[in-house]
Amino acid sequence: MTLIDFEWSDDWFFSKPATEYNHNLARIACVFSENAYCDYFLERPHDSLTLSYKAVGADISSLEYHYDVDYSAPIMGNNQAAFSFATKTVRNSSEERTLVFVIIRGTPLNANEWISNINVSDTTKTAEAFHEGFFKSAQQIHNALVYYLLKRAVDPDSCCFLIAGHSRGAALANLVGALLANEGLFSTERIYDYTFAAPNVSSSEKTSDHKYDFIWNIVNAEDIVPSVPPCRGENWKYKKYGHVLTTVNFWNMDGNTYINDYLPRVNEYYNKFLKRDFYPFKLGTYLPSMIARLLTGMCKEVGSYYDSGLKLREKAEGLFWKVFPENAEESIPLEDDAPGKKKGTKRLVEKIQASLNKSTNGLLDYASNAFVDMHACEAYLSWLLVLDEDELYSDVGSSAVIIEKSYECAVLNSHGEVMARIVDGILQMKSVKAPIGASIAFGKTVIYFPSNADFTVIIYKDSIVPSIIPTTIEHYDSAGYLIESCETKRLYPSRFVAYKFHAGFVTLREDKISAEKIYGLELFELVRAGKLKQAQRFRVQPEFSVDVNNGIFGGFHLGCRNIFGTILVGKALTKFDDGIFVALGIGRESNFYGHIMLNTEFFSKYVYSTASKVGKSAYVPALRFAFLVKPFRRLEFFSAVTFDAHIQGFNDGAFSSNVQSSFWGTWRWNDDFELVPALSFGVKF
């Protein structure tokens, strides 16, 4: 247990209405929300929460705990919560009121309430006005509160409320406040409702009505939990009642102040709570925004959350039962002597973790701590205690750039450092560095930018024909909710022209990409700075093909894209023993357009035929142009046109009708020289 000092004044409940934010009350509410968890773990239940009630002068005889939750109860089942009530008489110079505390615990370490968290609409499996799991639990608390007020004869005209909770408890505190406002029995100016990391609770368009202005939802923009269920698109419109206040992060304020001033101050408290420093992601709204994009992309509507092939709802519940089994003995520990486990399992896991940390410079450990810290109630409390109201919150949003198709791209910071690279339309995950957030979603690359810096984006394509690259700007509010998706603009990069534009502070205010075309030497310098030339890797690639002139070929390629050698062996199929081909070639691969490649190859072809009446062997120069499409990493399908050179009196034996026929005829240049074209189809792998 960690003891902290905090301020309390009865005058807070008289001097300002609940519709005005009170930073001191927010701190008190967060302390109570944190202690609501502690009671679940202590051997003597409720000690820390009782101490908090005593510290503010609550009437201990009025204290009422509802922590004995029976999840097997009919009707309610998993949709229940733990909470407590208490009262205190608050006074100023001319009036006194009964302050009613409603403190709600967040999700404990059991599967039941986690399953209630994912119960968006289990009954109807369609979008309803309220998140079903939260709403049923909030009704339980509301009904108990009404009974408590009646039992203690609390006068509706002379009472006020302090309602608080974190995470699941915050969602329920949000709904309990909304239920009280809807009833109209109590003045909303006296319902002080503060929530921390609240998930979204309702798809109603009325969540922003002014009658809910007494509800203050404090969220960390890096926290995933406040962004679910998602608010994105036409079919997912879940929000919270009242105001949303976003705490500062590395994206929405001066980065140096955040790192050098705010974090050291926060760590003074965080080390008291968790015995270590606070780990920020430094990625602003990236994670919440990306999760919302993925969820709404996989499940177009609430019904598909239940019934699509993914069955996310079913799989999530199964996962929770595995993580939090009803019988603790069913969970399998990672100890060496665990039943059914091989000796050394724990050491193996530790070695894997150590190896991953070493290869990523400790990224695994950092990420695991950051995932805890983005949502921990201790983190919210530390930031609230350290920073004043004018320091803690920011309403600055962020932006993202969505780029489609096949292209090369680099994001550079103001020092010219590469912060992200996309090669052939594929994001190079190891290249992505904070504060840039980037990922692939449904065939599109999405790059998220902070609002407090500008970055240079280069888009290039080493193609002969200009590629069409659609680009779009998206704007997000400070909490990571999508505000608008702007008009798509098309860029046309090629090996002769690249595009350069600024993103970050600029795209936060623009509604379309303002890109500059780059040519010549500057193009070369940009491509070099962005490391956009694809690496030349040696490869061995087998080939199998057939042509319309009754030939079948097999062989392989050795080399890289810039230059490679080819060995092919073929057989003419006009007669079983006619036309054996051996070809040696040299070629080069170029990008033609998008994912279409062009191979240009020169062959020295040796033809041997036992059926030729002109000669049994002949040498044939040949030129092949092949267009390839690459659906997978190595697999390529191609069609090619080969031009064999027929030189009269030199290689007539190779063009005997018994050796190969010409489907397209011949292209005669003069009496001594003609080209014999052949169309072929094949695969490389």
Side-chain angles (χ1 to χ4, degrees):
M1 183 183 297
T2 302
L3 297 178
I4 59 173
D5 295 323
F6 56 81
E7 184 180 352
W8 174 273
S9 172
D10 286 0
D11 190 56
W12 295 338
F13 301 94
F14 298 93
S15 59
K16 292 182 178 180
T19 51
E20 292 186 33
Y21 175 80
N22 186 314
H23 199 54
N24 286 312
L25 264 184
R27 288 167 169 164
I28 293 293
C30 198
V31 169
F32 275 97
S33 299
E34 165 63 18
N35 285 336
Y37 284 106
C38 295
D39 297 329
Y40 182 77
F41 300 106
L42 291 176
E43 293 180 2
R44 293 182 296 173
H46 319 313
D47 274 11
S48 60
L49 193 49
T50 301
L51 286 175
S52 296
Y53 280 124
K54 287 181 178 178
V56 299
D59 179 2
I60 300 303
S61 66
S62 72
L63 189 50
E64 189 171 295
Y65 286 102
H66 295 259
Y67 271 64
D68 297 327
V69 183
D70 179 11
Y71 300 110
S72 64
I75 302 177
M76 297 300 294
N78 295 325
N79 301 311
Q80 301 184 65
F83 52 94
S84 61
F85 301 137
T87 61
K88 168 184 168 59
T89 301
V90 291
R91 301 178 178 86
N92 68 358
S93 58
S94 60
E95 185 182 359
E96 71 176 34
R97 293 173 180 168
T98 300
L99 171 62
V100 181
F101 294 86
V102 182
I103 308 300
I104 307 169
R105 184 190 66 191
T107 315
L109 296 178
N110 66 44
N112 304 88
E113 291 188 35
W114 278 105
I115 291 170
S116 179
N117 291 345
I118 62 173
N119 173 11
V120 178
S121 184
D122 285 2
T123 302
T124 65
K125 298 183 179 179
T126 59
E128 301 292 345
F130 298 101
H131 179 291
E132 183 176 323
F134 294 152
F135 186 66
K136 287 185 175 181
S137 303
Q139 284 182 312
Q140 174 203 16
I141 299 170
H142 175 264
N143 293 340
L145 176 61
V146 171
Y147 180 71
Y148 178 83
L149 296 175
L150 291 173
K151 182 171 59 176
R152 301 199 64 83
V154 175
D155 184 359
D157 295 326
S158 62
C159 74
C160 53
F161 295 87
L162 178 59
I163 305 173
H166 169 261
S167 192
R168 172 179 172 81
L172 306 187
N174 185 278
L175 281 170
V176 168
L179 289 172
L180 292 176
N182 292 341
E183 286 178 335
L185 296 176
F186 305 94
S187 169
T188 56
E189 292 191 349
R190 298 199 301 272
I191 305 175
Y192 299 84
D193 197 332
Y194 289 85
T195 80
F196 308 92
N200 293 321
V201 300
S202 173
S203 61
S204 170
E205 295 181 356
K206 297 180 180 180
T207 53
S208 57
D209 282 3
H210 288 300
K211 75 174 180 178
Y212 306 114
D213 281 352
F214 64 93
I215 303 176
W216 299 92
N217 304 288
I218 298 169
V219 303
N220 169 19
E222 293 189 332
D223 190 353
I224 293 171
V225 173
S227 67
V228 293
C231 179
R232 184 183 175 94
E234 292 298 319
N235 299 317
W236 291 91
K237 295 183 177 180
Y238 287 86
K239 294 183 179 180
K240 292 174 266 288
Y241 287 94
H243 302 277
V244 175
L245 299 179
T246 308
T247 59
V248 291
N249 58 64
F250 195 66
W251 270 23
N252 61 17
M253 66 168 294
D254 177 68
N256 289 328
T257 303
Y258 180 83
I259 295 296
N260 299 322
D261 182 11
Y262 286 10
L263 277 183
R265 291 160 60 188
V266 165
N267 285 330
E268 291 181 14
Y269 271 102
Y270 210 64
N271 275 282
K272 293 179 182 179
F273 296 141
L274 293 185
K275 310 304 179 186
R276 63 170 176 81
D277 285 350
F278 174 81
Y279 284 69
F281 269 114
K282 299 182 184 178
L283 289 175
T285 60
Y286 165 65
L287 285 175
S289 300
M290 198 65 215
I291 291 295
R293 180 187 295 276
L294 292 174
L295 288 176
T296 55
M298 291 186 293
C299 302
K300 300 298 183 183
E301 57 184 358
V302 174
S304 58
Y305 166 66
Y306 290 92
D307 300 329
S308 69
L310 294 172
K311 295 189 179 298
L312 288 182
R313 169 64 176 83
E314 180 181 323
K315 290 179 180 177
E317 180 168 340
L319 175 63
F320 290 139
W321 282 122
K322 288 181 180 179
V323 176
F324 308 111
E326 289 185 280
N327 184 353
E329 295 178 358
E330 294 177 6
S331 61
I332 302 176
L334 289 177
E335 302 297 335
D336 291 346
D337 58 350
K341 289 287 181 180
K342 295 180 180 180
K343 295 290 184 180
T345 300
K346 183 178 180 181
R347 286 194 295 273
L348 176 61
V349 171
E350 289 175 347
K351 285 182 179 180
I352 293 173
Q353 290 176 333
S355 176
L356 288 173
N357 273 311
K358 184 177 180 180
S359 63
T360 59
N361 294 320
L363 180 61
L364 185 65
D365 277 348
Y366 191 99
S368 61
N369 285 328
F371 268 108
V372 171
D373 295 351
M374 72 179 183
H375 185 63
C377 194
E378 294 90 344
Y380 281 83
L381 180 56
S382 297
W383 284 93
L384 278 161
L385 292 173
V386 166
L387 301 182
D388 293 330
E389 177 184 351
D390 59 346
E391 297 175 302
L392 182 59
Y393 302 115
S394 172
D395 60 0
V396 178
S398 60
S399 62
V401 175
I402 295 86
I403 315 174
E404 304 177 46
K405 303 295 180 67
S406 172
Y407 60 96
E408 277 71 58
C409 173
V411 178
L412 309 179
N413 64 12
S414 58
H415 303 292
E417 181 184 5
V418 177
M419 308 300 289
R421 287 177 66 241
I422 296 98
V423 177
D424 199 20
I426 301 173
L427 177 66
Q428 310 299 295
M429 293 303 300
K430 288 186 177 180
S431 72
V432 182
K433 302 173 185 176
I436 294 296
S439 53
I440 298 291
F442 311 106
K444 303 176 182 179
T445 302
V446 187
I447 308 174
Y448 292 85
F449 294 93
S451 58
N452 55 8
D454 263 339
F455 299 84
T456 299
V457 181
I458 306 163
I459 294 182
Y460 171 72
K461 185 64 180 176
D462 186 19
S463 60
I464 299 171
V465 177
S467 298
I468 302 174
I469 309 300
T471 57
T472 309
I473 295 175
E474 288 184 346
H475 293 147
Y476 295 84
D477 68 11
S478 60
Y481 295 147
L482 178 64
I483 299 173
E484 63 177 344
S485 183
C486 303
E487 181 181 354
T488 297
K489 181 175 181 177
R490 288 171 172 79
L491 306 179
Y492 303 91
S494 70
R495 65 175 53 178
F496 311 109
V497 58
Y499 288 82
K500 180 177 75 172
F501 60 89
H502 295 287
F505 180 80
V506 173
T507 45
L508 188 64
R509 291 154 180 80
E510 290 186 341
D511 58 5
K512 65 178 180 180
I513 299 294
S514 299
E516 175 188 359
K517 291 183 179 181
I518 306 298
Y519 306 91
L521 183 60
E522 187 179 357
L523 166 63
F524 174 80
E525 292 295 330
L526 275 181
V527 170
R528 183 187 59 79
K531 302 177 182 179
L532 295 181
K533 280 291 186 182
Q534 294 192 29
Q536 299 296 320
R537 293 184 175 88
F538 184 85
R539 61 184 180 181
V540 177
Q541 194 172 29
E543 174 190 319
F544 176 79
S545 63
V546 295
D547 68 23
V548 296
N549 288 351
N550 299 314
I552 182 169
F553 300 89
F556 54 90
H557 305 265
L558 305 94
C560 59
R561 284 187 58 190
N562 278 350
I563 185 168
F564 58 84
T566 303
I567 301 175
L568 294 177
V569 177
K571 178 77 174 66
L573 300 179
T574 51
K575 290 184 179 180
F576 181 76
D577 60 344
D578 289 349
I580 298 174
F581 307 93
V582 177
L584 300 177
I586 186 169
R588 174 184 173 85
E589 182 175 278
S590 302
N591 189 286
F592 183 74
Y593 173 83
H595 287 290
I596 301 174
M597 311 302 291
L598 171 63
N599 280 7
T600 305
E601 298 168 273
F602 176 78
F603 286 100
S604 294
K605 184 188 294 185
Y606 177 76
V607 181
Y608 178 81
S609 172
T610 58
S612 174
K613 298 178 181 179
V614 181
K616 290 186 179 296
S617 62
Y619 167 74
V620 179
L623 188 64
R624 182 169 78 164
F625 299 97
F627 289 92
L628 306 95
V629 177
K630 185 188 296 184
F632 304 108
R633 185 173 181 180
R634 287 183 60 89
L635 184 65
E636 297 176 324
F637 296 100
F638 69 87
S639 61
V641 178
T642 303
F643 296 96
D644 289 343
H646 180 191
I647 305 171
Q648 294 290 336
F650 174 70
N651 56 11
D652 297 331
F655 297 93
S656 167
S657 61
N658 290 330
V659 179
Q660 64 176 359
S661 59
S662 179
F663 183 80
W664 282 352
T666 62
W667 297 3
R668 183 172 294 276
W669 287 57
N670 54 49
D671 292 340
D672 297 324
F673 184 85
E674 65 180 358
L675 293 177
V676 180
L679 179 65
S680 61
F681 303 92
V683 60
K684 296 181 182 182
F685 48 91

